[in-house]
Amino acid sequence: MATYNKRGYKTPKAKEEFDDSTNVVIDEKDSKTAGVFNTLDQTASKTEEWIARNQKAIFGIVAVVALVTVGYVMYSKFIVEPKENDAADQMFVAQQNFQKATDGTKSDSLYNLSLKGSEGKYGFVDIASKYEGTAAGNLSNFYAGIAYLNTGKYSEAITYLEKFKSEDMILSALALGGIGDAYSQKNQPKQALEYYIKASETNKNEFTTPRFLLKAGQTSLSLGNKADALKYFTEIKEKYEATPEASSIDAMIGFAQ
């Protein structure tokens, strides 16, 4: 029997066998993605090797960090906090004596009690020393300085007020001004003026700034520096006209002209 092919008909090709076990290799030149993954694999392997070689050192560092953290927490909880609380408790009676003294009742004796202690509690001097590093210990330096200033012990006042450090800008200004007052009482006007200026420039406000500008102006006058005095008095007149210091400022300006 004769055989023939229909036009356009092609003999179907035999199906290709596909072996699942065959690994398909992608040339890295033809695939940037493959290159990236191969690089990551290499980096990961190197990192694992580095960790394996240095794991003792790594664990040691982690242990030290953990120890420091735990130590800080324990120190804060069992040493700092109780010390702060104890200092505040000791300070209560001293503060009461100080407040009564500022109200004008037996001032000198009460200031001395606030400094030396009473009723079985420490005074500001011992609190500042024994609780150094606490908030109460630092504040005791301020109280002690002002108490010494008010009892005529000016060198001691300077010593304690210089130790006082605070982010409270009002108290910082008052401390600087207190040092100025102590130097003024010691008849050292140049040093007093230096601190009055510092106090007037610290956190400008209507309470401390005009107060110490006035003292700076008065001290400048006593030193014969009329131009500087006029500058300080004029600042009070122009910027702090609603304050008590401004009530007689025109007369002070007249002295400085």
Side-chain angles (χ1 to χ4, degrees):
M1 178 182 295
T3 60
Y4 63 90
N5 291 328
K6 294 182 180 180
R7 182 176 295 176
Y9 176 80
K10 294 182 180 181
T11 304
K13 294 181 180 181
K15 293 183 179 180
E16 295 181 357
E17 294 293 330
F18 181 77
D19 185 359
D20 289 340
S21 64
T22 302
N23 291 325
V24 179
V25 178
I26 300 175
D27 191 340
E28 190 170 304
K29 295 179 181 179
D30 298 330
S31 175
K32 292 182 179 179
T33 303
V36 170
F37 278 111
N38 284 342
T39 301
L40 290 175
D41 287 342
Q42 292 171 6
T43 302
S45 297
K46 290 179 181 178
T47 302
E48 290 170 359
E49 291 173 4
W50 184 88
I51 291 173
R53 290 196 307 270
N54 298 280
Q55 61 181 341
K56 288 185 178 180
I58 294 171
F59 291 150
I61 292 170
V62 171
V64 169
V65 172
L67 185 62
V68 169
T69 302
V70 171
Y72 176 76
V73 171
M74 298 290 282
Y75 175 77
S76 298
K77 184 173 181 62
F78 296 106
I79 296 178
V80 174
E81 288 182 12
K83 192 174 182 181
E84 287 281 5
N85 293 335
D86 190 28
D89 178 61
Q90 290 286 340
M91 196 176 181
F92 180 72
V93 173
Q95 285 178 311
Q96 283 188 320
N97 287 325
F98 184 92
Q99 187 59 51
K100 290 176 183 177
T102 57
D103 291 340
T105 305
K106 298 180 181 179
S107 295
D108 284 357
S109 60
L110 285 169
Y111 276 131
N112 285 323
L113 286 176
S114 74
L115 287 164
K116 304 303 180 182
S118 63
E119 300 178 29
K121 299 293 185 181
Y122 291 136
F124 294 128
V125 171
D126 282 334
I127 295 171
S129 173
K130 297 179 184 296
Y131 297 93
E132 184 178 1
T134 67
N138 180 50
L139 189 57
S140 289
N141 286 315
F142 177 82
Y143 278 119
I146 300 300
Y148 276 127
L149 181 63
N150 282 282
T151 52
K153 296 181 179 179
Y154 305 120
S155 296
E156 290 87 342
I158 292 169
T159 297
Y160 279 93
L161 289 173
E162 284 182 337
K163 290 179 182 179
F164 175 68
K165 307 297 179 186
S166 176
E167 294 181 0
D168 186 309
M169 302 308 288
I170 298 294
L171 290 181
S172 294
L174 290 175
L176 290 169
I179 295 173
D181 287 341
Y183 275 120
S184 180
Q185 293 296 328
K186 285 166 65 72
N187 197 29
Q188 295 177 255
K190 290 183 179 179
Q191 290 89 335
L193 178 59
E194 176 187 346
Y195 279 93
Y196 287 147
I197 294 171
K198 287 180 181 179
S200 70
E201 293 175 346
T202 299
N203 185 35
K204 289 183 176 291
N205 61 83
E206 293 193 349
F207 175 59
T208 61
T209 305
R211 175 179 181 175
F212 295 118
L213 279 173
L214 181 60
K215 291 188 176 188
Q218 291 169 334
T219 305
S220 294
L221 273 181
S222 72
L223 290 168
N225 299 329
K226 286 190 173 183
D228 287 342
L230 181 59
K231 178 180 67 175
Y232 301 133
F233 294 147
T234 301
E235 185 174 347
I236 295 173
K237 181 176 178 64
E238 293 179 349
K239 298 181 179 180
Y240 304 98
E241 59 181 358
T243 63
E245 289 78 10
S247 62
S248 60
I249 203 65
D250 287 334
M252 299 305 298
I253 289 174
F255 288 133
Q257 288 177 332

